[in-house]
């Protein structure tokens, strides 16, 4: 059963916010680097959703999204960014992201997006 949500964001405040919003409802795996996120993707089978920051050091969230889709084309991903950009949203969509959320986000926006895209099978 795919019962975990994988979160990757390099900002501690964002990780903590997402944990506060989601931990009462979902099992979370929280990573702060794209490399750690990719390692979890490669070694964990029970992930039902990935929440990814787009702009991170060394490897960006779009590269991680590519890895997500290589591992499992049906695995849903929600991209989170502090930069409102039509181009970025379009690229996310083309790479297979299911949703795109702008920081600072509202609690209800995160809950709604996760409820829509979480696939526990």
């Amino acid at each position: 059963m795919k019962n975990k949500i994988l979160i990757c964001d390099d900002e501690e405040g964002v990780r903590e916010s997402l944990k506060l919003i989601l931990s009462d409802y979902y099992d979370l795996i929280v990573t702060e680097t794209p490399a750690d996120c990719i390692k979890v993707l490669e070694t964990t089978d029970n992930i039902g959703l990935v929440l990814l920051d787009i702009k991170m050091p060394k490897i960006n969230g779009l590269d991680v999204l590519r890895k997500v889709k290589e591992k499992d084309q049906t695995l849903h991903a929600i991209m989170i960014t502090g930069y409102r950009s039509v181009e970025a949203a379009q690229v996310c969509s083309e790479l297979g992201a299911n949703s795109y959320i702008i920081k600072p986000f509202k609690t209800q926006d995160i809950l709604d997006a996760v409820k829509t895209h979480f696939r526990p099978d």
Side-chain angles (χ1 to χ4, degrees):
M1 180 169 186
K2 295 180 177 180
N3 60 355
K4 296 196 184 306
I5 296 174
L6 175 58
I7 296 169
C8 184
D9 197 299
D10 62 320
E11 292 179 50
E12 184 178 3
V14 173
R15 291 191 309 273
E16 291 302 316
S17 293
L18 290 170
K19 283 197 291 191
L20 283 170
I21 293 167
L22 297 170
S23 63
D24 286 346
Y25 310 102
Y26 303 98
D27 288 328
L28 307 176
I29 301 172
V30 181
T31 60
E32 84 179 69
T33 69
D36 289 343
C37 182
I38 290 168
K39 189 179 296 181
V40 169
L41 280 168
E42 291 171 347
T43 60
T44 307
D45 289 328
N46 59 347
I47 296 170
L49 177 67
V50 181
L51 293 172
L52 286 170
D53 185 18
I54 292 177
K55 199 164 178 82
M56 294 184 282
K58 296 183 183 170
I59 305 169
N60 70 38
L62 298 175
D63 293 330
V64 177
L65 177 60
R66 286 183 186 93
K67 296 279 188 194
V68 167
K69 293 302 179 172
E70 283 172 18
K71 178 178 169 50
D72 181 352
Q73 196 66 27
T74 67
L75 183 56
H76 283 208
I78 298 171
M79 304 306 289
I80 301 173
T81 184
Y83 305 94
R84 184 180 304 270
S85 159
V86 173
E87 294 82 14
Q90 184 175 354
V91 170
C92 289
S93 178
E94 288 169 2
L95 292 175
N98 301 92
S99 190
Y100 180 89
I101 295 174
I102 308 291
K103 297 178 201 175
F105 45 76
K106 295 183 174 83
T107 297
Q108 198 58 52
D109 292 342
I110 294 293
L111 290 171
D112 290 347
V114 168
K115 184 177 179 184
T116 300
H117 297 291
F118 183 59
R119 298 287 183 241
D121 318 303

